[in-house]
Amino acid sequence: MVNSIAYIAMARSAGSGNKEEEITIAPGGCVCVRAVVPPVNGVAMDTQTAVDYKPIPGWPEDSIMADLVMVESEDVLYKDARVTVSVEMHRTTTPSVFSGGRRYYEGAARLYDPGTYELDARLEYQDGQWNADPGQPTVPYNEQIMRGPRDASQTAAARSIVRVRTDRSHWTHLGRHQSLKLCTAGDEPGRWIPTTTLQRIWQPHQYVMAAEDSRAWVPYHCRLQRVTYAQFAHHMARTYPSVHWFGDSNSRRTLRPFVMGGKWCYEADTVQRLDCLCNDAPKDLYPSEWYAQMQLPHWYRVHATGVNGSEILAGNTNNVMQESLSSAESVAYFHPPAGIEYGPEYTALDISSSASNYFFDLYYQFTRGTQDMYGSYWARDITEHAASAYPRAKLVVFQMITWDVAFGEYAAFTRQVDLLAKRLRRVYPDAQFIYRSGPYWCCRNAETDDKKYSRLRFVAFDRYARTVFRRRLKARVWDVMSVQANRPPESKRLSENMPCLSAHSRGELIHLDNQILMNMVVNANQA
């Protein structure tokens, strides 16, 4: 990974081709980023000498993570903002002044917020090594910073800085944000803004809660409102009284706040707990002799204040599916041993309270994407018979990717996704669908060599699945991957996943991700 370079090739204001604006552009201007990667020169890395790594068809040989990062701004609303815009790089055959068998890449992004941006580009893998298939050695993560051209005479257009001028009348400026319509989609582009800024100009209900770096997600083209879990339950009771949800441990973590009325990993003295940082798996939190007899909930009645223990249905760990709601066993006495501070705190509800008079039913089925592992497999679990045991779903949420990226092969994955979409349409002919993107992965190795995690592998698997779900199921996309991809570089590297090497988010980010879901559901039905 030597002599790779990356630079801003051109910056042009929207609707303008003036050369005078190649350095300073108007809000909404487009920036082109180019990168050049040299050949490995026949020198393979460590033990990979005999391994033939191949990129996923249609995806680049080299994995480049490129970000345009705001380093300063004269606008007080963007002070210390570190607005970051991720740039997806594509292989190009465009002729270049550079030569020597190098590969060329281009990417483009629009910049809206006023300030000076620098290019931060990292070469993560070369020659398809980002796509290690099962059975192949995992190449250790070893990113290299990509510099600009040393000789400026090589290309007069090569730059590392671009400026966006201040225009407080532009509709994307933070000062005008509250005049935008409410967000009804879950995949709106946006940026992270420090809450120290937002607290000065907006009321708390006008922006969502912050991540662990005290930044909140603010879309460019619409606005998010802070929705409480009680408000969401009230809305769901009227619009989607029954929800069927399929997903892996990322979904399990996502659902924690819903079944606890928002009271999970939400206070300052709890966010450093193991389950809040990354790992809430019961097998890792509870004594093994107790966990062996633990009942696994799969149906909940979700009220504004959470879930009543008598309204959770489950089977023991050896049971795959209950025959019906009436025969299923409640988990009213599902409590961990004394002294254990983790896990769901199912509290008794005040039945006289008006809040307990509305609720929605949630059926959750743990699935490992398209993988047939540990007794879980969509082709056995998603059937008309299984779905008929629970209230008919008006909304189906599906989350996948993590297990497929870890243990799967891309060609087999695409075939399984196609079959899965057909099955979902047959089992749920009248339901609406939401596809939750895969998690964001960055800048490190998985905890074991068996898991083939890489940033670009996650992106490629997710891109195929969301395309199929959109086309065949008309699914709306809940995109948590892109939200986290646009975090500042330092937040990506010291972020939610670092305490453990699973592809899990911290509790703060889970609450923020849930706000995107709740906005897209609540606002869409009020529009």
Side-chain angles (χ1 to χ4, degrees):
M1 293 187 184
V2 295
N3 299 325
S4 60
I5 63 174
Y7 58 94
I8 298 172
M10 64 185 74
R12 183 170 296 174
S13 295
S16 172
N18 297 331
K19 292 184 178 180
E20 297 176 356
E21 295 182 307
E22 289 182 348
I23 298 175
T24 300
I25 64 174
C30 189
V31 176
C32 176
V33 174
R34 287 181 179 161
V36 183
V37 179
V40 184
N41 296 324
V43 179
M45 298 176 60
D46 301 329
T47 60
Q48 281 73 47
T49 53
V51 180
D52 184 20
Y53 293 98
K54 294 183 182 299
I56 291 172
W59 291 83
E61 294 92 337
D62 308 305
S63 179
I64 300 172
M65 180 166 54
D67 295 312
L68 291 165
V69 184
M70 182 189 290
V71 293
E72 63 179 3
S73 178
E74 296 178 355
D75 192 314
V76 66
L77 293 184
Y78 294 90
K79 182 180 179 181
D80 301 323
R82 296 281 290 170
V83 169
T84 298
V85 180
S86 177
V87 184
E88 184 171 324
M89 304 298 290
H90 304 276
R91 181 78 184 272
T92 179
T93 57
T94 302
S96 171
V97 297
F98 301 103
S99 60
R102 298 177 174 93
R103 297 189 185 107
Y104 305 101
Y105 295 91
E106 281 188 350
R110 292 195 180 277
L111 300 180
Y112 294 98
D113 296 315
T116 300
Y117 293 78
E118 288 185 351
L119 176 62
D120 183 298
R122 316 290 176 106
L123 179 59
E124 299 177 297
Y125 296 97
Q126 284 186 257
D127 292 346
Q129 292 174 337
W130 59 269
N131 185 40
D133 277 329
Q136 292 182 321
T138 300
V139 179
Y141 186 83
N142 184 30
E143 68 178 26
Q144 300 293 321
I145 296 176
M146 303 178 74
R147 306 294 185 183
R150 293 182 179 180
D151 184 359
S153 65
Q154 287 182 309
T155 170
R159 309 180 189 280
S160 61
I161 293 177
V162 62
R163 295 180 178 87
V164 179
R165 66 170 175 260
T166 300
D167 181 357
R168 292 183 174 85
S169 66
H170 197 271
W171 49 274
T172 60
H173 191 274
L174 282 177
R176 299 194 60 189
H177 184 79
Q178 293 303 324
S179 64
L180 297 175
K181 65 180 181 180
L182 290 171
C183 295
T184 58
D187 55 351
E188 291 281 355
R191 71 292 215 193
W192 292 84
I193 299 295
T195 53
T196 51
T197 296
L198 303 182
Q199 290 166 356
R200 298 198 310 267
I201 60 177
W202 299 338
Q203 296 298 315
H205 70 274
Q206 293 179 312
Y207 60 94
V208 297
M209 57 283 297
E212 81 281 3
D213 62 355
S214 298
R215 287 180 167 86
W217 179 249
V218 181
Y220 288 115
H221 310 310
C222 61
R223 59 187 172 90
L224 297 170
Q225 60 180 340
R226 191 173 301 195
V227 181
T228 68
Y229 288 93
Q231 291 170 331
F232 183 70
H234 185 261
H235 177 83
M236 294 296 286
R238 294 181 289 111
T239 56
Y240 300 110
S242 179
V243 179
H244 290 198
W245 190 306
F246 300 89
D248 57 32
S249 55
N250 284 287
S251 281
R252 182 187 66 223
R253 293 177 63 75
T254 294
L255 292 172
R256 294 289 192 201
F258 288 105
V259 301
M260 297 175 66
K263 296 182 178 180
W264 177 74
C265 300
Y266 73 108
E267 294 179 330
D269 60 348
T270 65
V271 295
Q272 295 300 316
R273 291 185 339 205
L274 176 61
D275 59 325
C276 299
L277 289 175
C278 73
N279 195 357
D280 65 325
K283 65 182 180 63
D284 297 322
L285 298 177
Y286 303 123
S288 57
E289 64 276 8
W290 182 83
Y291 172 71
Q293 302 302 318
M294 175 181 171
Q295 296 172 316
L296 299 179
H298 57 249
W299 181 87
Y300 309 83
R301 178 152 285 175
V302 183
H303 297 259
T305 53
V307 174
N308 189 335
S310 64
E311 294 179 323
I312 304 172
L313 305 179
N316 291 325
T317 53
N318 293 328
N319 294 338
V320 177
M321 179 67 66
Q322 296 292 336
E323 289 298 322
S324 68
L325 290 178
S326 59
S327 64
E329 183 180 1
S330 74
V331 291
Y333 302 104
F334 171 62
H335 297 293
I340 300 296
E341 60 180 354
Y342 308 114
E345 299 170 359
Y346 301 126
T347 57
L349 298 174
D350 180 3
I351 302 301
S352 63
S353 170
S354 61
S356 65
N357 293 330
Y358 53 84
F359 53 81
F360 67 97
D361 293 328
L362 173 65
Y363 162 59
Y364 168 56
Q365 174 67 47
F366 189 93
T367 182
R368 294 173 172 83
T370 69
Q371 298 295 299
D372 186 356
M373 300 178 70
Y374 306 111
S376 170
Y377 184 43
W378 69 265
R380 291 191 300 268
D381 298 338
I382 303 176
T383 65
E384 290 93 335
H385 174 71
S388 66
Y390 301 93
R392 188 178 184 86
K394 294 195 66 177
L395 178 66
V396 176
V397 180
F398 207 100
Q399 175 264 319
M400 54 193 308
I401 300 301
T402 314
W403 285 75
D404 292 293
V405 171
F407 303 109
E409 189 270 330
Y410 183 78
F413 168 75
T414 60
R415 293 191 295 269
Q416 288 282 300
V417 170
D418 291 341
L419 295 172
L420 168 61
K422 292 179 181 178
R423 175 70 63 84
L424 286 170
R425 175 51 71 199
R426 191 184 79 201
V427 174
Y428 300 103
D430 304 319
Q432 296 182 32
F433 289 86
I434 289 178
Y435 170 82
R436 183 193 185 275
S437 75
Y440 180 71
W441 179 266
C442 163
C443 319
R444 59 196 175 281
N445 299 310
E447 70 268 32
T448 68
D449 187 68
D450 292 338
K451 291 184 177 180
K452 306 305 179 183
Y453 289 164
S454 77
R455 181 190 61 84
L456 203 53
R457 225 171 115 85
F458 268 102
V459 173
F461 276 64
D462 180 79
R463 187 72 51 81
Y464 185 84
R466 73 167 65 188
T467 299
V468 171
F469 270 65
R470 271 178 164 156
R471 184 175 66 246
R472 298 192 177 179
L473 300 172
K474 294 182 171 54
R476 301 166 65 199
V477 174
W478 173 18
D479 189 354
V480 302
M481 180 183 288
S482 296
V483 168
Q484 297 183 33
N486 286 281
R487 302 188 77 185
E490 62 273 14
S491 295
K492 292 178 183 178
R493 288 161 178 79
L494 300 173
S495 65
E496 68 282 0
N497 296 322
M498 295 306 285
C500 72
L501 298 179
S502 297
H504 288 164
S505 292
R506 290 174 56 124
E508 299 99 324
L509 269 172
I510 290 173
H511 282 286
L512 188 148
D513 291 342
N514 285 354
Q515 285 293 313
I516 296 175
L517 170 68
M518 292 192 286
N519 269 266
M520 66 185 289
V521 172
V522 172
N523 298 340
N525 285 281
Q526 292 179 345

